């Protein structure tokens, strides 16, 4: 159980949800496979394959959203509808109108959906009710929104907020690169993306390339700003920080995974639990350290607002200009 990416949200300290209540509310929308006329279904699955929708290890919670989609490209529907339209035009002596074409496409869709292949995926989310974090293992905020949308539909209340920091990730990463000095506890690795703020949006990407030279500082002086930067925390976790405060390419290094071997787990469930415990333990150290490196959380930010019952907000200091 190792997340590859992390979309990060804040849960207020006063959130009264318990694991038992969360289990009951998630059960309102258990995952169901696509029916014959469904193009997509979403619902909650057991993270571990048992009957429980909330998996608990050491006070940390794991949930999983199941998404099943019918693989029926619109181009296939369009082609079949056009072929039927040609045959219909020969019969009636004139081309089908707009309404007839819509009816043909709907008819084709209804006929082909039951025969379409399906694709199923599972998206994991981690909840730290004590530290106040919700992390979704998704490569983008758009993909994480799938989970948040179903959570909103399922839970009585969902007081989430994006993390707001005193410094935007972009301005902080620019300072680290310009000064060739990472914040305390971190090291700068060898991957980076710099993008121009001008209309041309010119970009420079470095992969496995030293970043401490004059070349990178020259790009910064010319007006390019970092949108991604690879970092390592405490020689234990490597990741890429983005300008949107996303954690990507999350990798728990050998020094962490060696502890899994030492845990002596005797079966698959014990191994899963040990991995989840190690991962969440590292994330509980990593996230506050990243926030601190960005100047700390903005006073009066989304966490306080969420505690007052405000709904999920998309506003974030990391989206603001600097």
């Amino acid at each position: 159980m190792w997340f590859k990416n992390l979309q990060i949200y804040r849960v207020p300290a006063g959130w009264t949800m318990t694991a038992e209540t969360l289990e009951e509310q998630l059960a309102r929308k258990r995952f169901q496979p696509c029916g014959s006329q469904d193009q997509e279904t979403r619902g909650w699955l057991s993270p571990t394959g048992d009957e429980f929708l909330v998996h608990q290890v050491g006070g940390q919670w794991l949930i999983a959203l199941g998404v099943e989609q019918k693989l029926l490209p619109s181009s296939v529907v369009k082609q079949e509808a056009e072929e039927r339209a040609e045959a219909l035009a020969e019969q009636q002596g004139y081309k089908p109108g707009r309404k007839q074409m819509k009816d043909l496409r709907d008819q084709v869709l209804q006929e082909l959906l039951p025969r379409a292949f399906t694709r199923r995926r599972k998206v994991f989310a981690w909840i730290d009710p004590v530290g106040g974090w919700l992390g979704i293992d998704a490569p983008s905020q758009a993909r994480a929104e799938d989970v948040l949308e179903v959570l909103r539909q399922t839970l009585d209340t969902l007081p989430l907020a994006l993390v707001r920091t005193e410094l935007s990730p972009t301005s902080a990463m620019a300072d680290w690169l310009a000064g060739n000095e990472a914040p305390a506890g971190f090291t700068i690795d060898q991957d980076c993306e710099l993008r121009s703020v001008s209309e041309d949006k010119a970009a420079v990407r470095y992969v496995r390339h030293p970043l401490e030279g004059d070349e990178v500082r020259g790009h910064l002086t010319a007006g390019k700003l970092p949108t991604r930067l690879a970092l390592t925390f405490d020689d234990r976790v490597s990741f890429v920080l983005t300008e949107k405060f996303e954690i990507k390419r999350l990798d728990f290094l050998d020094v962490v995974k060696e502890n899994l071997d030492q845990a002596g787990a005797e079966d698959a469930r014990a191994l899963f639990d040990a991995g989840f415990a190690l991962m969440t333990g590292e994330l509980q150290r990593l996230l506050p350290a990243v926030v601190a490196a960005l100047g700390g959380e903005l006073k009066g930010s989304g966490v306080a607002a969420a505690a007052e019952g405000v709904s999920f907000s998309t506003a974030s200091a990391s989206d603001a200009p600097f």
Side-chain angles (χ1 to χ4, degrees):
M1 168 41 59
W2 305 100
F3 281 20
K4 299 297 184 184
N5 301 282
L6 206 61
Q7 302 295 326
I8 309 160
Y9 306 90
R10 264 312 208 168
V11 179
W15 195 39
T16 57
M17 182 71 69
T18 65
E20 291 73 24
T21 302
L22 181 60
E23 177 80 29
E24 293 174 1
Q25 295 188 14
L26 293 184
R28 300 169 180 172
K29 195 173 179 59
R30 282 185 177 270
F31 174 79
Q32 298 292 335
C34 286
S36 62
Q37 294 301 313
D38 293 327
Q39 290 183 275
E40 179 180 282
T41 60
R42 301 178 185 182
W44 301 108
L45 290 166
S46 168
T48 58
D50 58 20
E51 70 273 22
F52 298 106
L53 299 177
V54 180
H55 187 64
Q56 304 179 62
V57 178
Q60 304 297 296
W61 305 343
L62 183 68
I63 61 176
L65 179 71
V67 180
E68 186 171 274
Q69 296 171 308
K70 289 285 184 69
L71 301 178
L72 184 57
S74 59
S75 58
V76 173
V77 176
K78 180 181 178 182
Q79 178 180 326
E80 179 65 21
E82 288 176 349
E83 291 176 358
R84 295 188 186 188
E86 291 177 4
L88 185 60
E90 292 181 1
Q91 294 176 10
Q92 63 188 16
Y94 56 89
K95 292 182 177 180
R98 182 176 300 176
K99 183 179 183 304
Q100 278 187 305
M101 284 303 303
K102 181 180 182 304
D103 290 342
L104 279 174
R105 286 193 293 268
D106 289 344
Q107 180 183 354
V108 170
L109 183 64
Q110 291 175 4
E111 292 178 6
L112 295 183
L113 270 177
R115 293 181 281 161
F117 290 105
T118 59
R119 176 178 59 192
R120 185 179 299 182
R121 57 185 171 88
K122 184 184 287 189
V123 185
F124 290 99
W126 155 62
I127 301 174
D128 176 4
V130 177
W133 301 103
L134 184 145
I136 300 174
D137 186 5
S140 67
Q141 290 179 354
R143 184 63 64 86
E145 181 62 29
D146 292 345
V147 177
L148 297 179
E149 181 181 357
V150 183
L151 275 174
R152 293 189 195 102
Q153 296 169 358
T154 307
L155 303 186
D156 292 339
T157 59
L158 183 63
L160 293 182
L162 288 172
V163 179
R164 293 170 59 89
T165 53
E166 291 287 347
L167 299 175
S168 74
T170 300
S171 62
M173 291 187 292
D175 288 343
W176 302 339
L177 288 170
N180 190 30
E181 184 175 1
F186 293 85
T187 56
I188 296 175
D189 295 337
Q190 297 189 329
D191 289 14
C192 176
E193 178 182 89
L194 301 165
R195 189 174 295 274
S196 173
V197 296
S198 60
E199 292 183 1
D200 62 4
K201 300 295 182 183
V204 177
R205 295 181 180 87
Y206 292 94
V207 179
R208 295 187 293 276
H209 188 286
L211 303 178
E212 65 272 11
D214 293 336
E215 183 179 349
V216 171
R217 286 193 289 271
H219 285 299
L220 293 171
T221 302
K224 292 186 178 69
L225 296 173
T227 57
R228 295 170 178 245
L229 180 63
L231 299 163
T232 294
F233 173 64
D234 197 25
D235 294 326
R236 299 173 67 85
V237 184
S238 68
F239 62 97
V240 171
L241 178 65
T242 79
E243 80 279 16
K244 297 179 181 179
F245 196 80
E246 300 167 298
I247 302 293
K248 296 195 172 185
R249 283 172 40 192
L250 188 59
D251 186 19
F252 300 87
L253 304 182
D254 290 343
V255 66
V256 175
K257 294 183 178 179
E258 285 173 1
N259 292 331
L260 189 60
D261 297 331
Q262 296 171 6
E266 297 180 355
D267 55 37
R269 172 58 66 85
L271 188 64
F272 184 96
D273 287 353
F276 181 63
L278 284 171
M279 180 188 76
T280 55
E282 295 298 328
L283 293 178
Q284 286 177 296
R285 297 177 61 245
L286 171 66
L287 296 185
V290 174
V291 169
L294 298 176
E297 292 193 63
L298 194 64
K299 294 181 180 179
S301 64
V303 178
E308 298 173 1
V310 178
S311 300
F312 171 77
S313 170
T314 55
S316 171
S318 62
D319 296 327
F322 61 93

